[in-house]
Amino acid sequence: MNGHGVNGYGAYGDDELLSIGAFAARARLSPKALRLYDRLGLLAPAHVDATSGYRYYRPAQTERARLVALLRQLARTLADFLRGRLSGRSSEMDGLDELYGRFVVETVDVPERVVLTETRHTLADELPAWIGASLGRLEAGARECGGVSAAPFVVYHSEVSMESDGPAESCVPVADEAAARAWVAAHGRARSTAVRVEPARRLAYTRIVKAQVAHPQIIAAFEAVERWMAGQGIEPVGPCREVYFADWDAAGPDDAVCDVAFPVGLSGGS
């Protein structure tokens, strides 16, 4: 730690402060993105230690941090849309009006499971290709570990955008823990592959179709679940995720393929 408190917290005046690492985790951004926002004058730290140079943020700055990230993503999306229109190309963003469409949010309990995982720091432009490739590698490994036992999912330990590189973690549930650990021991070093036990979870989620998985539509899905949680007075208890329950290649644009979800408690708990 840095000597300015414990668990990423410091004290400054009468206000609780978070270290840049703790604040980044809360805002689902990377420290790299927060430093960029500071340089651009979009989000300044609440306090910078004169000796160490460490940045500290107030918890109340979390919403602004997320808003800055969202607006920067939307600005890039709008720029792409305008370039497409001005060049005469058909725009990929014809569905932009769906960005703030209605999403039905529900909860589901999922049991404890053993998962093969692959973790990577990646920016948004490389994310779709990496998700497909990493899940493919893990599913191939799962065939040596008793088979895939539940829907694969991707966990975002911090935001993945053009400015924030996560990390993201691809996860494939498997049936045989001992075989999974043996497979990782033999194959896991090259690609940050591991095996872990994912605890039982209660997830708040909304289901989206294939066309909504791309940015910026998927951002609206995450925001919808967050708004639902706020309305229920509950906080997420872990990082957000995408659960891929359908055959991606066989699905059409209007077919449901993915649940956007936040853990909100233990199965059978609050």
Side-chain angles (χ1 to χ4, degrees), residues 216-268:
Q217 290 92 332
I218 199 167
I219 298 175
F222 279 109
E223 291 285 325
V225 180
E226 287 185 302
R227 288 195 296 269
W228 181 89
M229 291 189 297
Q232 299 292 316
I234 56 178
E235 292 281 344
V237 297
C240 59
R241 59 202 57 206
E242 297 164 6
V243 182
Y244 290 96
F245 56 81
D247 184 336
W248 179 268
D249 293 331
D254 297 325
D255 292 330
V257 296
C258 175
D259 289 338
V260 169
F262 287 80
V264 294
L266 295 177
S267 179

Side-chain angles (χ1 to χ4, degrees), residues 163-206:
E163 297 160 351
S164 183
D165 62 354
E169 180 189 28
S170 288
C171 303
V172 172
V174 297
D176 188 331
E177 181 176 358
R181 295 192 183 279
W183 185 86
V184 167
H187 304 284
R189 294 182 179 178
R191 297 185 180 275
S192 298
T193 307
V195 59
R196 65 178 176 84
V197 177
E198 172 77 3
R201 303 279 197 184
R202 173 166 291 161
L203 301 177
Y205 73 97
T206 189

Side-chain angles (χ1 to χ4, degrees), residues 39-228:
R39 290 198 302 273
L40 295 177
L42 299 173
L43 181 68
H47 173 62
V48 179
D49 187 277
T51 302
S52 66
Y54 290 139
R55 295 170 168 86
Y56 294 92
Y57 295 81
R58 293 189 178 91
Q61 291 180 278
T62 302
E63 184 62 31
R64 178 174 177 84
R66 292 179 180 174
L67 179 61
V68 168
L70 176 62
L71 290 177
R72 287 178 64 80
Q73 175 65 45
L74 290 177
R76 284 189 294 273
T77 297
L78 180 59
D80 290 342
F81 171 74
L82 291 174
R83 280 195 293 269
R85 290 294 295 271
L86 292 173
S87 68
R89 292 185 288 108
S90 84
S91 171
E92 297 178 356
M93 295 312 303
D94 288 339
L96 191 61
D97 57 346
E98 298 178 6
L99 179 60
Y100 294 110
R102 291 180 176 270
F103 294 90
V104 176
V105 179
E106 300 178 286
T107 61
V108 63
D109 288 346
V110 294
E112 178 182 282
R113 62 194 72 182
V114 176
V115 292
L116 288 176
T117 76
E118 184 177 317
T119 301
R120 180 176 174 180
H121 286 272
T122 180
L123 296 176
D125 57 347
E126 300 174 344
L127 181 64
W130 175 76
I131 288 177
S134 61
L135 289 180
R137 288 188 289 267
L138 294 174
E139 288 170 349
R143 289 193 286 272
E144 301 179 30
C145 307
V148 178
S149 61
F153 56 100
V154 179
V155 177
Y156 296 99
H157 295 282
S158 185
E159 179 177 310
V160 174
S161 67
M162 291 307 294
E163 297 160 351
S164 183
D165 62 354
E169 180 189 28
S170 288
C171 303
V172 172
V174 297
D176 188 331
E177 181 176 358
R181 295 192 183 279
W183 185 86
V184 167
H187 304 284
R189 294 182 179 178
R191 297 185 180 275
S192 298
T193 307
V195 59
R196 65 178 176 84
V197 177
E198 172 77 3
R201 303 279 197 184
R202 173 166 291 161
L203 301 177
Y205 73 97
T206 189
R207 183 153 291 183
I208 59 177
V209 301
K210 187 173 182 178
Q212 293 172 312
V213 172
H215 285 271
Q217 290 92 332
I218 199 167
I219 298 175
F222 279 109
E223 291 285 325
V225 180
E226 287 185 302
R227 288 195 296 269
W228 181 89

